């Protein structure tokens, strides 16, 4: 009987174990959709040269100024020194737990954390810190540093870092080299990846009480470079940390090849271009094809000392255009914004300003399956939009909407008449050659510009609007003034973008660009002031989608809502990236889907 009892207990125990949920295992990488493309034993990303020579220096040039080295605080947010954390030049000083592979839509691989254990339902994630990870002063990276990062960001940081603890139910140290995040109901399926991409700072090197004060004192980070010299507003010099802990980590192999990186600041784009011609700047990324064709014809280029190259990308183009501050009463009516949007004469601009080399921007995810263009709304999309009837016009729902095409003359009466009729239907009328709003007040606005190129585009728009009595003024400001006005939302119209970049995996950044909460947060990137529950619902559906079909449907709904909201008058784009650079630079043969990656470039040995 004893033997039978033992067997019965054993069988019962096995059955109980089989009913427990399957435990996840630490993995070398995580992905938003599916599994990471690279295996656990990968040696490097496929768009780098793992044997790139190390050494030499490079100087990058930007327009603007800086008065702060701490990129995590609201003060001087838009005048923080480039390079501390940087999507273009690389995270030179501060690093996240995991590194993004820019040849996948959204996959992350080990960095400060060499692996991650993510719950299949994404309700929690545990990071296992690399025991070799060290700060630039030699101290080890610890779980306490991760806990401190979230503590100080919550109390003293800027959006979006300050908001992340609101989605975390518990943050705990689970071992000498491990830390676990447990999420609450506010979190979405992308949030574990956002946590993995959040830069970590050292507890021992920061004072929480003074964290939100601007500083020009070099900061301690875990990245491949340290701050060497600072000339406020003019120059910041980074030098390679010879003891950088991560140089042999697979996700960093082939990166960070210069011994010294200098970032020079210029007052305007013309000064920057001239500095490039003189050899001060290593490269020029001019986007105006006419200007770059003119400027590239200088002696060094003709001698072969400077190259120009086009790089193909596989991501939707960033939407650039005239952005309305919808917090203002004059721009609160989407019909008015739609009429104003009709009056940007792309055909004239493309022919006369851009030599016909651009395409018209019409969608926020153009040239991808995420775009609403050419796609009729399916049942999933209709269900998402059902609580918000009338938000999306029929032609946007069926994917046939296109902006009006002019005859390129700069005075197409057909388009002018159509825009006027829309305004008339909204209660506007013309009296003595001036457009008056429904209350009888003159209707006009100011366009804020920061460069001669923007002034040209604003002047083109101004001429067209004046033809139907809309009074437009143009105000040119320097970089510091522009950034300060943006941060306070102190503008009427500016030439802006829908974000700093675009991707095939839009996610939580859309909350900051278009979400209702961000519309009220000073310093957020929701410059247009979009505060629409339908937009919030689309973003929420996108972030919580499990199946790819649901995800695509949610992004298309967001695209349809943004198109219909007329928050920005889209201009033009080119699918290729253009770059001119001095021939002492070299880059890997392969270009990832996100375009060229400067942190993978190197200087040719003498």
């Amino acid at each position: 009987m004893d033997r039978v009892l033992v067997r019965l207990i054993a069988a019962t125990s096995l059955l109980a174990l089989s009913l427990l949920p399957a435990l996840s295992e630490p993995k070398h990488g995580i992905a938003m959709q599916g599994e990471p493309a690279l295996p656990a034993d990968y040696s490097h990303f496929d768009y780098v040269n793992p044997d790139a020579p190390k050494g030499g220096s490079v100087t990058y040039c930007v327009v603007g100024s800086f008065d702060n080295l701490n990129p995590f605080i609201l003060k001087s947010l838009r005048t923080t020194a480039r390079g501390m954390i940087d999507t273009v030049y690389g995270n030179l000083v501060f690093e996240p737990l995991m590194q993004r592979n820019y040849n996948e839509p959204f996959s992350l691989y080990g960095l400060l954390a060499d692996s991650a254990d993510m719950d299949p339902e994404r309700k929690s994630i545990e990071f296992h810190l690399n025991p070799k990870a060290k700060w630039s002063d030699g101290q080890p990276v610890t779980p306490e540093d991760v806990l401190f990062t979230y503590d100080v960001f919550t109390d003293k940081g800027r959006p979006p870092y300050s908001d992340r603890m609101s989605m975390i139910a518990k943050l705990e140290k689970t071992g000498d080299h491990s830390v676990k995040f447990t999420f609450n109901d506010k979190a979405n399926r992308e949030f574990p990846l956002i946590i993995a991409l959040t830069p970590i700072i050292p507890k021992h090197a920061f004072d929480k009480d003074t964290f939100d004060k601007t500083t020009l004192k070099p900061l301690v980070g875990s990245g491949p470079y340290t701050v060497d010299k600072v000339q406020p507003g003019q120059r910041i010099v980074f030098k390679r940390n010879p003891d950088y802990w991560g140089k042999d980590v697979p996700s960093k192999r082939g990166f960070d090849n210069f011994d010294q990186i200098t970032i020079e600041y210029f007052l305007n784009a013309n000064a920057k271009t001239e500095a490039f011609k003189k050899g001060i700047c290593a490269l020029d990324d001019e986007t105006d094809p006419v200007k770059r064709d003119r400027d590239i014809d200088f002696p060094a280029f003709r001698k072969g000392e400077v190259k120009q190259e086009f790089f193909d990308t596989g991501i939707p183009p960033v939407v650039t255009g005239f952005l309305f501050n919808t917090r203002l009463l004059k721009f609160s009516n989407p019909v008015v914004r739609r009429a104003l949007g009709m009056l940007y004469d792309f055909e004239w601009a493309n022919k006369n300003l851009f030599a016909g080399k651009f395409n018209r921007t019409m969608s926020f995810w153009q040239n991808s399956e995420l775009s609403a263009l050419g796609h009729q709304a399916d049942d999933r999309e209709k269900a998402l939009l059902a609580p918000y009837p009338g938000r999306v016009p029929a032609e946007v729902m069926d994917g046939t909407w296109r902006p009006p095409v002019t005859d390129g003359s700069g005075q197409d009466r057909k388009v002018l008449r159509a825009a006027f009729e829309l305004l008339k239907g909204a209660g506007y009328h013309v009296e003595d050659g001036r457009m008056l709003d429904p209350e009888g007040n003159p209707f006009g606005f100011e366009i804020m510009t920061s460069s001669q190129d923007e002034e040209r585009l604003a002047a083109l728009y101004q001429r067209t609007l004046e033809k139907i009595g809309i009074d437009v003024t143009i105000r040119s400001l320097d970089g510091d003034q522009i950034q300060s006005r943006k941060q306070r939302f102190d503008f009427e119209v500016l030439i802006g973008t829908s974000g700093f970049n675009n991707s095939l995996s839009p996610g939580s950044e859309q909350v900051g660009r278009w979400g209702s909460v961000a519309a009220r947060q000073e310093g957020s990137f929701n410059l247009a002031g979009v505060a629409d529950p339908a937009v919030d619902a689309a973003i929420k559906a996108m972030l919580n989608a499990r199946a790819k079909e649901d995800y695509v449907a949610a992004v298309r709904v967001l695209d349809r809502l943004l198109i219909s909201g007329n928050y920005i008058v889209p201009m033009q784009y080119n699918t290729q990236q253009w770059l001119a650079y001095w021939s002492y630079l070299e880059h890997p043969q392969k270009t990832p889907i996100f375009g060229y990656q400067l942190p993978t470039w190197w200087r040719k040995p003498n």
Side-chain angles (χ1 to χ4, degrees):
M1 285 294 293
D2 289 344
R3 254 184 263 167
V4 173
L5 183 59
V6 168
R7 286 176 183 171
L8 181 60
I9 293 172
T12 304
S13 300
L14 288 171
L15 177 62
L17 286 172
S18 69
L19 295 175
L20 289 173
L23 296 176
S24 56
E25 295 181 357
K27 294 185 178 181
H28 69 292
I30 55 178
M32 183 59 198
Q33 302 286 339
E35 296 294 327
L38 301 180
D41 60 351
Y42 82 102
S43 61
H44 56 82
F45 293 155
D46 62 357
Y47 56 88
V48 307
N49 173 7
D51 301 315
K54 307 286 187 182
S57 63
V58 67
T59 297
Y60 300 125
C61 297
V62 298
V63 174
S65 182
F66 75 96
D67 57 6
N68 175 40
L69 295 184
N70 186 345
F72 307 112
I73 62 175
L74 189 59
K75 289 181 181 178
S76 303
L77 163 62
R78 302 184 194 275
T79 53
T80 300
R82 298 289 303 273
M84 303 298 290
I85 53 170
D86 206 293
T87 57
V88 177
Y89 305 123
N91 296 332
L92 305 183
V93 174
F94 297 103
E95 296 179 311
L97 293 166
M98 304 188 84
Q99 176 87 348
R100 188 165 191 168
N101 177 4
Y102 283 102
N103 207 32
E104 298 179 56
F106 196 4
S107 293
L108 308 177
Y109 295 84
L111 187 56
L112 286 178
D114 55 22
S115 62
D117 183 359
M118 185 165 63
D119 161 39
E121 295 299 314
R122 302 196 178 190
K123 298 296 185 183
S124 67
I125 187 168
E126 184 175 36
F127 294 99
H128 303 275
L129 301 180
N130 191 322
K132 298 178 181 178
K134 288 184 172 55
W135 302 107
S136 58
D137 61 4
Q139 293 206 34
V141 177
T142 67
E144 285 77 12
D145 293 319
V146 180
L147 271 58
F148 172 77
T149 296
Y150 281 83
D151 178 41
V152 75
F153 281 1
T154 301
D155 289 349
K156 301 277 189 171
R158 66 168 174 86
Y161 304 113
S162 58
D163 302 329
R164 291 181 180 167
M165 274 304 294
S166 66
M167 289 180 269
I168 299 170
K170 185 191 297 185
L171 171 53
E172 57 188 323
K173 175 181 176 180
T174 53
D176 291 341
H177 299 286
S178 58
V179 60
K180 184 176 181 180
F181 294 78
T182 302
F183 307 120
N184 59 33
D185 292 340
K186 296 181 182 178
N188 53 64
R189 291 182 59 77
E190 188 196 46
F191 194 56
L193 281 76
I194 300 302
I195 294 295
L197 275 180
T198 301
I200 303 302
I201 63 173
K203 179 179 180 179
H204 69 275
F206 282 91
D207 182 343
K208 183 178 177 180
D209 291 337
T210 60
F211 184 79
D212 56 351
K213 308 297 182 185
T214 60
T215 181
L216 289 171
K217 178 183 177 182
L219 301 174
V220 174
S222 64
Y225 293 86
T226 58
V227 174
D228 186 32
K229 299 174 184 175
V230 176
Q231 287 184 261
Q234 299 178 42
R235 179 182 302 110
I236 180 168
V237 181
F238 300 91
K239 67 176 181 181
R240 183 207 301 283
N241 179 4
D243 300 318
Y244 173 51
W245 73 274
K247 58 182 178 293
D248 295 321
V249 172
S251 66
K252 293 294 283 181
R253 196 166 289 142
F255 288 80
D256 314 314
N257 300 315
F258 302 104
D259 284 343
Q260 178 178 290
I261 296 175
T262 300
I263 299 180
E264 293 273 357
Y265 287 76
F266 292 85
L267 291 177
N268 55 62
N270 287 337
K272 182 168 79 79
T273 299
E274 292 305 311
F276 168 67
K277 292 180 180 180
K278 293 175 183 177
I280 297 172
C281 312
L283 53 86
D284 181 30
D285 58 356
E286 176 60 56
T287 57
D288 183 335
V290 175
K291 188 174 186 296
R292 68 192 183 208
D293 287 349
R294 182 186 69 235
D295 290 341
I296 198 65
D297 187 21
F298 63 103
F301 176 72
R302 291 193 291 269
K303 292 177 184 177
E305 296 172 354
V306 169
K307 300 179 180 179
Q308 66 172 339
E309 191 170 349
F310 290 90
F311 297 86
D312 291 316
T313 68
I315 58 174
V318 173
V319 178
T320 302
F322 296 97
L323 186 143
F324 302 115
N325 186 351
T326 64
R327 300 171 184 83
L328 305 176
L329 180 62
K330 66 175 66 179
F331 297 127
S332 61
N333 187 340
V335 174
V336 173
R337 301 196 299 267
R338 181 183 177 191
L340 296 175
M342 296 171 65
L343 295 172
Y344 175 64
D345 196 336
F346 164 76
E347 284 70 30
W348 190 95
N350 197 35
K351 180 175 67 175
N352 293 280
L353 300 182
F354 306 121
K357 295 185 178 181
F358 278 121
N359 299 304
R360 182 69 193 266
T361 306
M362 296 177 280
S363 162
F364 289 80
W365 285 276
Q366 200 147 332
N367 304 328
S368 79
E369 66 175 342
L370 303 176
S371 173
L373 297 182
H375 296 108
Q376 189 168 0
D378 63 16
D379 290 341
R380 294 181 182 86
E381 295 181 60
K382 292 175 182 176
L384 283 173
L385 288 167
Y388 312 99
R391 282 291 205 286
V392 179
E395 65 269 23
V396 180
M397 283 295 284
D398 64 22
T400 62
W401 174 86
R402 298 294 185 275
V405 176
T406 72
D407 59 13
S409 67
Q411 49 186 0
D412 190 323
R413 292 185 178 277
K414 174 178 84 287
V415 175
L416 289 169
R417 189 179 302 111
F420 177 74
E421 289 300 321
L422 274 180
L423 289 170
K424 185 178 176 181
Y428 290 70
H429 67 282
V430 174
E431 188 174 302
D432 297 327
R434 303 176 71 187
M435 181 69 70
L436 303 181
D437 67 19
E439 284 72 42
N441 301 311
F443 179 62
F445 52 85
E446 177 187 271
I447 302 176
M448 194 167 66
T449 65
S450 61
S451 68
Q452 289 183 342
D453 292 338
E454 289 188 358
E455 286 179 37
R456 283 196 304 164
L457 290 164
L460 163 65
Y461 197 32
Q462 179 189 49
R463 287 196 301 271
T464 307
L465 290 164
E466 284 177 345
K467 294 182 187 302
I468 60 170
I470 298 175
D471 181 32
V472 173
T473 58
I474 300 172
R475 180 182 294 273
S476 298
L477 301 173
D478 63 33
D480 289 349
Q481 292 173 311
I482 287 277
Q483 299 301 349
S484 177
R485 297 271 293 268
K486 283 182 178 179
Q487 188 163 322
R488 304 193 312 271
F489 308 128
D490 181 17
F491 65 90
E492 292 188 327
V493 176
L494 56 79
I495 297 179
T497 70
S498 60
F500 289 128
N501 50 42
N502 216 339
S503 79
L504 295 170
S505 182
S508 294
E509 77 286 347
Q510 303 301 314
V511 176
R513 294 177 189 176
W514 311 113
S516 296
V517 173
R520 301 185 295 271
Q521 287 181 326
E522 182 176 306
S524 84
F525 293 108
N526 187 350
L527 295 173
V530 179
D532 182 355
V535 169
D536 294 336
I539 295 173
K540 182 178 180 180
M542 175 188 71
L543 293 174
N544 288 295
R546 293 172 177 265
K548 183 179 180 181
E549 294 80 5
D550 294 332
Y551 178 77
V552 172
V555 179
R556 285 183 184 171
V557 166
L558 179 58
D559 196 28
R560 296 185 204 278
L561 288 165
L562 295 177
I563 292 170
S564 305
N566 302 286
Y567 303 105
I568 187 169
V569 182
M571 293 182 187
Q572 53 277 324
Y573 74 92
N574 191 319
T575 56
Q576 291 183 312
Q577 295 175 318
W578 177 88
L579 205 61
Y581 57 93
W582 285 81
S583 58
Y584 56 75
L585 291 181
E586 190 61 87
H587 63 77
Q589 292 184 349
K590 181 169 184 176
T591 302
I593 59 176
F594 278 81
Y596 64 80
Q597 300 294 309
L598 292 179
T600 68
W601 289 42
W602 64 90
R603 187 163 186 142
K604 295 177 183 176
N606 292 332

